[in-house]
Each structure stands twice: as C-alpha cells, then as structure tokens.
Amino acid sequence: MTDKLTVALLFGGRSSEHSISCATAGGVLAAIDRERYTVIPVGITRDGAFVLEDDDPAKFALSSAALPEVIDNGSRVLWPDSAASRELTVVDASGRRSLGTVDLVFPILHGPYGEDGTVQGMLELIDLPFVGSGVLASAIGMDKHFTKTVLQQASLAVAPWRTITADDWADAPGMAYAALEELGLPAFVKPARAGSSVGVSRVSSSDQLAEAMTVALAEDDKVLIEAGLVGRELEVAVLQGRPGEPAHASVAGEVVVTGRDFYDFAAKYLDAAGIDLVCPANLDAADLAEMQRIAVRAFESIDAGGLARVDFFLTETGWVINEINTMPGFTPISMFPSCWLASGYTYPQLIDELIEVALARAAHRRRRTSAVVAD
C-alpha cells in the first residue's frame, strides 16, 4: 500500500519511568495496524540521545528480571530543522540516510523530559502533529501541585495537601512536620513531578517522614504531603473527540488493595501480589455517569488533548480526584487500555482512534491558522 501513514513512535527518555515507556512502546509496536501505518521506532536514551531502535515488541517486554532499556547504539535520529520539512534522518557508522517523511509522532513518554511539555514544545516548534496534550496541559498534568490548584479552581474535589520544596526541607523541616500534623495520619509523600508511583511513600507515623522525604526528593525538588483518604480507588480513561465533538470517558476500573500499603510500582508493573485490578468496576449507573462527567470536566479544566487517565477515590462524601495522567501507561495490562477494551475498543482500534483524533486536530488548527492569515 502506498497510502500508509508514517508514525514515529517516541519512547524511553531521561526520567525514572524510562523502562515503563519502553514497555508501553512494546505494546504499541505489537498492536499497531501495519496495513495502515509504517512505524519508525525512535528511542531516547537516559542521556537524552535520539536513536533509531529495533522494531521488535519482544525487545521491550517488561519483567522483574530485566527492565527494558534504550541503549545508545551509535545511531542518531535527526528531527526536521524547520516547520517546512517533516523528514527524519539517521546518522550512523554507514553515513546519513533519510527515514522518510513523518505524518505523526506518538510520544509515549512518561515522566519529566517527555510527558511534561518539553517534547511537546519541540514538536510544536517544527509543526509535527502528535498524539496527546500540548505544552500547557502536559506541564500542568505532570505537576501534582498545579494539577490540584487548577482542579480546585474548577470546583473539583481533590485530596488536601501541602507542598514542601527541597529548600523548605533543608532550611525549615518543621514546615513538613506541621503539615503532616495538620493533614493527619496516614499520609502520602509524593514527588510533585513523577509518575508510576516512583518515589511515593505511605507515612503512618511522624518518625517515617524524614525517610519518605528523602525518597521523594531523590525524584524531584518539590514534594507533596497529601492526606490519606478512605474509599474505593477507581480510574477512568478519557479520549478527546474530533474538532467540534466532546471528550468521552470509558467504563471505570478499580484498584483493590488486598495485601499492600498502596498501589506501588511493583504492583503496577511487575505483577507483585496484593493488588487486584477489576475492570469494569462494580458501579451503579448513576455513580459511573457522575464519575465520567467529572473526569471529562477535569480533562477540559487542564486543557488536555488526545487522552488521559483520571484517578479517583470514592469516599463517603463523594468523588475526589487523585490525579490526572496525560500520557498513561499503555501496556496491554495497563488500566487505560483495559478500560477502553471493556468499553468496546480493541487495542489496535484504540491506537487508530488516538492517531485519527491527533491528525484531525492538527488539520483543524492549520485551517484555522490559514483563515486568520488570510484575513
């Protein structure tokens, strides 16, 4: 077929979620429809080098024995040097060659230097369409402090929190202990800008705070101390509509904690015991409809695009948003695709939808920009 779209799949990256991004890439490489798309796998090493990777899903399988990794293989992928070109090139030991013209970038990057608006800004600068949120929403969604601030402004309930910087902790640690006393126990200590539960600790006594702060500050120089909530832990996936159409939400999934303190990294990705994922969750129609309404409202409140996963607690007093993830895990067992599979999508159809929405949004922006220039 000559009318295939060329998709650059961008993964890896400089964050502590590097391996999760690689595992997500493996899932997408295995599921994407090769009759419709030509795929260029572009890995980012932990040092930030763009390299041409192998188109091999098995290479990026996630296991506790060996986490997948983008290794510097000596190649360098070069992005277009202006908005007038969409050609990717690669330079390696054999010289320089073209990888062809790219129609779309799928940046399945998690964490800082990828999910936080940095890569999105680069792609916008060279006018390459991409899946997911733009600079602003990516930056807001990455920073839990500002996510909560924006959601509060939109009159959406979030867990009470206090933000402590590295300088605060070094110069006035009493601020953190006072915050813990005010919020109550148990509490959670989290890096403001990290995901996949990396750097998160559950604190059940004040003498655990110092170690929890050390763990969180190893990931970020800004930390949230957040009140622990009692309730069901539920998640819902959101997809943006095409221009002129509303966003819509999936059925809900539930995280049932049976033998761990919380839904940590090992439980999310390494199949550790103590967590059961139930999808679809057992919710009555009214509760599900309200959860979906709030999720779409939260998505729109941060000006998100493409996709997101919105995490909730259902407490005695109602729905409380835990966080928004603007590039959620996309492995076949991750909650985002699982929620859409339970809503009637197949994994390849979900990838198609994300690509088609991104291209429709990019075309809409170009038409709008052209009309403004013409006027």
Side-chain angles (χ1 to χ4, degrees), residues 238-249 296 299-300 353 357:
V238 179
L239 285 174
Q240 186 178 30
R242 287 159 178 75
E245 298 177 354
H248 54 290
V296 170
F299 184 88
E300 294 171 344
E353 181 70 8
V357 166

Side-chain angles (χ1 to χ4, degrees), residues 27 31 35 59 62 93 108 135 145 159 163 190 202 213 226 242-243 245 249 272 279 282 296 300 311 316 360 367:
E35 295 296 316
K59 180 178 179 180
L62 187 64
I108 46 175
V135 173
H145 170 85
T163 301
K190 305 177 177 181
R202 183 179 186 271
M213 289 294 296
E226 187 177 86
R242 287 159 178 75
E245 298 177 354
C279 189
N282 183 19
V296 170
E300 294 171 344
D311 301 345
E316 288 185 350
R367 287 194 297 269

Side-chain angles (χ1 to χ4, degrees), residues 82-231:
S82 75
S85 169
R86 289 187 177 176
E87 182 183 23
L88 287 189
T89 55
V90 62
V91 179
D92 56 24
S94 62
R96 179 174 180 145
R97 67 185 187 279
S98 173
L99 295 173
T101 299
V102 172
D103 295 294
L104 178 104
V105 178
F106 199 153
I108 46 175
L109 295 157
H110 305 311
Y113 309 108
E115 192 181 349
D116 59 354
T118 51
V119 165
Q120 290 77 11
M122 179 195 78
L123 297 174
E124 289 184 2
L125 185 64
I126 55 178
D127 196 27
L128 271 178
F130 59 91
V131 171
S133 290
V135 173
L136 177 63
S138 297
I140 292 172
M142 187 77 256
D143 190 310
K144 295 177 180 66
H145 170 85
F146 286 105
T147 297
K148 286 174 176 285
T149 301
V150 171
L151 294 180
Q152 275 194 332
Q153 185 65 28
S155 300
L156 297 173
V158 298
W161 87 101
R162 296 293 180 268
T163 301
I164 305 293
T165 67
D167 287 341
D168 292 336
W169 179 245
D171 299 338
M175 294 174 59
Y177 285 95
L180 186 66
E181 182 175 356
E182 178 185 355
L183 294 166
L185 296 169
F188 287 87
V189 177
K190 305 177 177 181
R193 293 162 293 199
S196 300
S197 296
V198 174
V200 177
S201 300
R202 183 179 186 271
V203 172
S204 55
S205 64
S206 60
D207 60 6
Q208 296 174 337
L209 181 60
E211 175 62 22
M213 289 294 296
T214 299
V215 171
L217 286 169
E219 297 295 327
D220 192 11
D221 61 3
K222 186 166 63 175
V223 169
L224 271 65
I225 302 175
E226 187 177 86
L229 297 179
V230 176

Side-chain angles (χ1 to χ4, degrees), residues 41-111:
V42 181
I44 304 177
T45 69
R46 290 186 185 272
D47 292 330
F50 293 88
V51 301
L52 184 62
E53 261 291 1
D54 296 326
D55 189 353
D56 178 8
K59 180 178 179 180
F60 304 107
L62 187 64
S63 74
S64 57
L67 297 178
E69 183 95 5
V70 175
I71 303 298
D72 192 341
N73 57 22
S75 69
R76 288 292 181 274
V77 172
L78 305 180
W79 295 92
D81 58 8
S82 75
S85 169
R86 289 187 177 176
E87 182 183 23
L88 287 189
T89 55
V90 62
V91 179
D92 56 24
S94 62
R96 179 174 180 145
R97 67 185 187 279
S98 173
L99 295 173
T101 299
V102 172
D103 295 294
L104 178 104
V105 178
F106 199 153
I108 46 175
L109 295 157
H110 305 311

Side-chain angles (χ1 to χ4, degrees), residues 276-318:
D276 292 323
L277 302 182
V278 180
C279 189
N282 183 19
L283 284 175
D284 64 41
D287 279 337
L288 176 59
E290 179 66 0
M291 183 188 188
Q292 291 170 326
R293 183 192 70 80
I294 296 171
V296 170
R297 175 93 181 277
F299 184 88
E300 294 171 344
S301 295
I302 69 166
D303 196 28
L307 72 163
R309 193 193 70 240
V310 186
D311 301 345
F312 289 86
F313 290 102
L314 179 55
T315 70
E316 288 185 350
T317 57

